[in-house]
Amino acid sequence: MTKRVAILISGGGSNMVALARSMHGNHPARPCLVMSNVAGAGGLAKARDLGIQTAVVDHRPFGKDRAGFEAELHKALAAAAPDIICLAGFMRILTADFVSKWNGRMLNIHPSLLPKYKGLHTHARAIEAGDGEAGCTVHEVTASLDDGPILGQARAPILPGDTPDTLAARILPLEHSLYPAVLRRFADGDRTPLFLPGSD
Ligand code: GAR
């Protein structure tokens, strides 16, 4: 049966677009919802242009009430009945309680070669550390931040003179290849890690 995929975003949504565009033909999944915690997220208009239902649950009115925010998020998600949730530049930390509700069904893309550089400012940290390469990782979401089982990685060199922006510009297209490739396998029940050509 075709799997239903909800995609959570906070910003421009370029990974969301790559995922959504990949789900056609004999792909085992289809997008059912794009949801954002930011009403002005650029990705929402892109999702609507792609004919995908959108929803917004703004985190700000909830202040420190994370459980309240997540209850609303869960309600909106549950209404769309997704089989798989893809976090795609969704910049809110999710609690163990929320994650447990979607255990084994939630993926995330992170712009580093995990387990290196969990959290923010990944490219700046890789450059500062003098690393020779950087990359991106798709992983299953667990209660620990950026820590679940790795489902795929792609890597690229860090070049002399790179800034966080030039490195991000080199990594983002890799994200757009890696995430759809991993999602397709995951929707088919294949959780074997995928290392894109050029990576180890
Ligand atoms: C992507 O680079 C993604 O890896 C990163 O945010 C960007 C979103 O771009 N995610 C994180 O940093 C999660 N911790 P997009 O909105 O164009 O897909």
Side-chain angles (χ1 to χ4, degrees):
M1 221 176 70
T2 307
K3 302 266 169 53
R4 295 167 64 79
V5 177
I7 306 172
L8 269 56
I9 64 170
S10 297
S14 69
N15 275 287
M16 176 279 294
V17 169
L19 289 170
R21 288 215 175 114
S22 73
M23 289 184 255
H24 64 85
N26 67 356
H27 195 289
R30 292 290 184 272
C32 64
L33 177 70
V34 168
M35 182 146 77
S36 180
N37 63 309
V38 179
L44 289 168
K46 294 176 194 163
R48 284 192 289 270
D49 285 348
L50 289 164
I52 307 168
Q53 188 195 328
T54 61
V56 174
V57 178
D58 187 344
H59 63 278
R60 288 172 308 176
F62 294 94
K64 289 191 188 333
D65 178 14
R66 214 173 263 275
F69 166 65
E70 289 186 346
E72 282 305 305
L73 201 63
H74 183 73
K75 203 158 75 182
L77 269 175
D83 301 293
I84 299 169
I85 297 172
C86 289
L87 307 183
F90 184 69
M91 304 307 277
R92 301 304 297 170
I93 291 176
L94 297 167
T95 67
D97 186 47
F98 181 88
V99 170
S100 72
K101 293 191 171 83
W102 301 98
N103 201 20
R105 291 183 286 167
M106 187 154 46
L107 311 183
N108 180 43
I109 186 150
H110 185 72
S112 80
L113 293 171
L114 290 174
K116 279 188 155 186
Y117 312 125
K118 297 170 182 179
L120 299 175
H121 311 302
T122 54
H123 299 316
R125 288 154 69 199
I127 291 168
E128 210 163 287
D131 290 358
E133 61 175 5
C136 52
T137 304
V138 177
H139 65 95
E140 218 173 296
V141 177
T142 60
S144 307
L145 181 69
D146 300 329
D147 195 48
I150 288 175
L151 297 168
Q153 269 182 338
R155 53 188 75 215
I158 297 179
L159 302 176
D162 260 341
T163 65
D165 284 348
T166 60
L167 187 53
R170 193 171 308 122
I171 301 298
L172 197 59
L174 297 179
E175 298 188 31
H176 299 161
S177 302
L178 180 69
Y179 210 175
V182 170
L183 173 64
R184 184 172 187 130
R185 290 154 66 98
F186 189 83
D188 268 332
D190 182 359
R191 293 175 189 217
T192 325
L194 172 69
F195 296 99
L196 284 188
S199 48
D200 291 343

